[in-house]
Amino acid sequence: MTLPALAFSADQAEAYDRAAEMLGTAGIDLIDGTTLPPREGAAPQVLAITGKAGSGKTALLAQLAGDLAAAGVTTVSGDWDGKRKKDRRTLAILAPTNKAASVLRLRGVPATTIHRILYTPVYDPEYERIAEWLAGEGDRPEIEGLTDLALDRAMAVFQTHASIPGALAAAGLRGSDFITGWKRREEPLDIGFVDEASMLDARQFEDLQEIFPTLVLFGDPAQLAPVGQSGKMVFEALPDERVVHLSRIHRQAQDNPILDLAHALGDPSLDYDDFAAMVHEAAARDDRVVVSPRIDAALMARSPALVWRNATRIRMIQAFRTAFGAPETELLPGEPLICDGIELPLKHRRKRLDLEARGLIKGAQAIYLGPGTKPGFSRVYVVGAPEPRTGVASIIKIEKPDEEEPFLPFAARMGAAFLHGAAVTIHKAQGSQWDTVQVFAPDLSAAAWSGRMEAGQPLWKRLAYVAITRAQERLIWVTQSRLRRPETPLSIDDLAEAAAPLSLDAGLEADAADG
């Protein structure tokens, strides 16, 4: 077959062919650029494309997505579906977390989260007319209370950000004005691409198979499996003919000392001491790898230190707060947080979905901006979310070494629960990437000494692989339990967004305060 413009390696070409073949049986011809209407009752199809970091999975995903768009396939998000058209073919590009989705969006791939596809907003009919107009499916509406200037502002924002909620917020509407509830998607979609598929648990995989008759998974078999999955990833249960493995590491990856270290971990004879020596050698010849005796507190404010042991995480967080002079009884604007889930009774299902739709799902990274307008409320910046600023009823827990009960600077009766995010476990870091990553080497040494195995591999190697591949530009290998104090106070100036819409934030505090 004639390959697309991207210069594929042989294994990428094979994976592209296999994906194109599966899409062809679903009625989409990537060679001719033509589509047929979806066939009702077609047998579900799943293909997994696996490979280690640097093997070209994301480039392949982007190429397939671009070729589908060129063939007339519409990329959908979780914001708004629009009118269903019998012959329309659609693609949803998904990731397990907002942070993972944002990594794809930064590369020009229009990704959303799995949650935003499983649960969709229900729009007020009057404001749905605006959404139809913005999406080119209806005439310009006339709505009482909305001026032409407000509608023009909404259109300008939509053309820039392709976000229906963001555009409606720019018109002066609150989330509670135009979203009346949330519902689980009942009707199936068409084609689904899932990045970071190593993070999928069995339940999520079942949900996705119910929604997408054609599903392509992109995953790294060298990462850590989800907790409770017995060291196995969902694509490892697929038949061999449903899996294509990318084994070649591309030139841009081969020139990267961080990825060189990650791939060296595949050597069965390599022990921890030899690997630590390799890190030192890499640092001596390339400034993208740094060996440091200290954790840098300033970096921890935006890029958490990665550790294995929970006790290490708690000690590091306490050291971070002490270094910045944070009072015991309150948070400073700029302190990092990690969402630990939503604590709401079952009867408040809509509020739970509302918070999760804003990106506040377990493991989401956030930055504390300041107190909200009511006791127990906080303003936070959700990292990676398309519209990151939001206010929310909060249960914020600051854990302390050798103390069973955490301190709660904010404790609403119910809402989003947060842990401090200056340090996180390597398990929780999966799916995220940062420009610079600090890895606490003594914890990896402890994992090596423990002799623990996971799915036939020494645990320390899996931990090291995941931790190292979180770094996009620079890896800092920290060798001692010491902290480099910051030179400037904590700040939120780096989170300023001159032109970005606030989307759903305005109505959230009022919604979460009910009941």
Side-chain angles (χ1 to χ4, degrees), residues 27-46:
I28 300 171
D29 189 327
L30 293 185
I31 307 304
D32 294 338
T34 58
T35 64
L36 297 173
R39 288 184 301 156
E40 289 194 18
Q45 306 180 94
V46 179

Side-chain angles (χ1 to χ4, degrees), residues 43-219:
Q45 306 180 94
V46 179
L47 177 70
I49 297 174
T50 65
K52 291 185 177 181
S55 59
K57 298 186 299 297
T58 301
L60 184 58
L61 185 157
Q63 184 69 48
L64 285 165
D67 291 348
L68 284 169
V73 177
T74 302
T75 302
V76 299
S77 73
D79 290 336
W80 184 75
D81 273 350
K83 294 177 181 177
R84 290 196 170 274
K85 297 178 181 177
K86 183 179 178 182
D87 296 344
R88 185 177 71 152
R89 305 305 303 267
T90 63
L91 166 69
I93 304 169
L94 311 174
T97 65
N98 269 296
K99 181 68 174 171
S102 73
V103 171
L104 285 175
R105 290 196 294 268
L106 287 172
R107 298 179 182 180
V109 179
T112 187
T113 62
I114 292 170
H115 188 276
R116 286 302 295 268
I117 287 295
L118 293 178
Y119 293 95
T120 59
V122 178
Y123 282 77
D124 178 280
E126 186 171 34
Y127 295 117
E128 191 166 10
R129 291 164 51 206
I130 305 177
E132 291 172 353
W133 167 63
L134 291 169
E137 298 180 3
D139 297 329
R140 182 184 178 104
E142 292 183 8
I143 295 176
E144 185 177 354
L146 281 186
T147 65
D148 285 342
L149 181 61
L151 289 174
D152 290 343
R153 192 163 57 242
M155 178 59 82
V157 167
F158 181 75
Q159 290 174 338
T160 302
H161 297 279
S163 166
I164 295 287
L168 293 173
L173 298 171
R174 302 183 307 166
S176 54
D177 289 332
F178 56 83
I179 291 181
T180 61
W182 298 85
K183 67 177 181 179
R184 185 179 173 87
R185 186 180 296 279
E186 296 174 356
E187 296 184 14
L189 285 172
D190 193 356
I191 302 159
F193 287 177
V194 184
D195 197 29
E196 295 289 352
S198 58
M199 297 175 67
L200 289 179
D201 59 35
R203 178 61 185 273
Q204 287 174 316
F205 187 40
E206 288 174 10
D207 287 340
L208 290 169
Q209 287 177 290
E210 288 178 7
I211 291 174
F212 296 101
T214 303
L215 192 61
V216 185
L217 309 179
F218 297 81

Side-chain angles (χ1 to χ4, degrees), residues 296-312:
D296 188 329
L299 274 174
M300 294 167 74
R302 296 294 178 268
S303 176
L306 303 188
V307 303
W308 173 46
R309 295 176 290 194
N310 207 40
T312 307

Side-chain angles (χ1 to χ4, degrees), residues 8-17 49-50 55 60 244-250:
F8 279 148
S9 61
D11 54 4
Q12 279 180 311
E14 180 191 354
Y16 185 97
D17 285 352
I49 297 174
T50 65
S55 59
L60 184 58
V244 187
H245 186 69
L246 304 179
S247 55
R248 179 184 171 188
I249 305 306
H250 292 261

Side-chain angles (χ1 to χ4, degrees), residues 295-349:
I295 287 275
D296 188 329
L299 274 174
M300 294 167 74
R302 296 294 178 268
S303 176
L306 303 188
V307 303
W308 173 46
R309 295 176 290 194
N310 207 40
T312 307
R313 178 183 66 85
I314 294 171
R315 286 198 306 272
M316 279 195 183
I317 288 167
Q318 195 62 32
F320 170 88
R321 301 199 78 234
T322 300
F324 277 103
E328 277 197 39
T329 56
E330 60 186 275
L331 286 174
L332 297 175
E335 290 200 62
L337 302 171
I338 297 289
C339 182
D340 197 39
I342 307 299
E343 297 187 7
L344 287 173
L346 288 175
K347 66 179 181 178
H348 294 295
R349 180 173 172 274

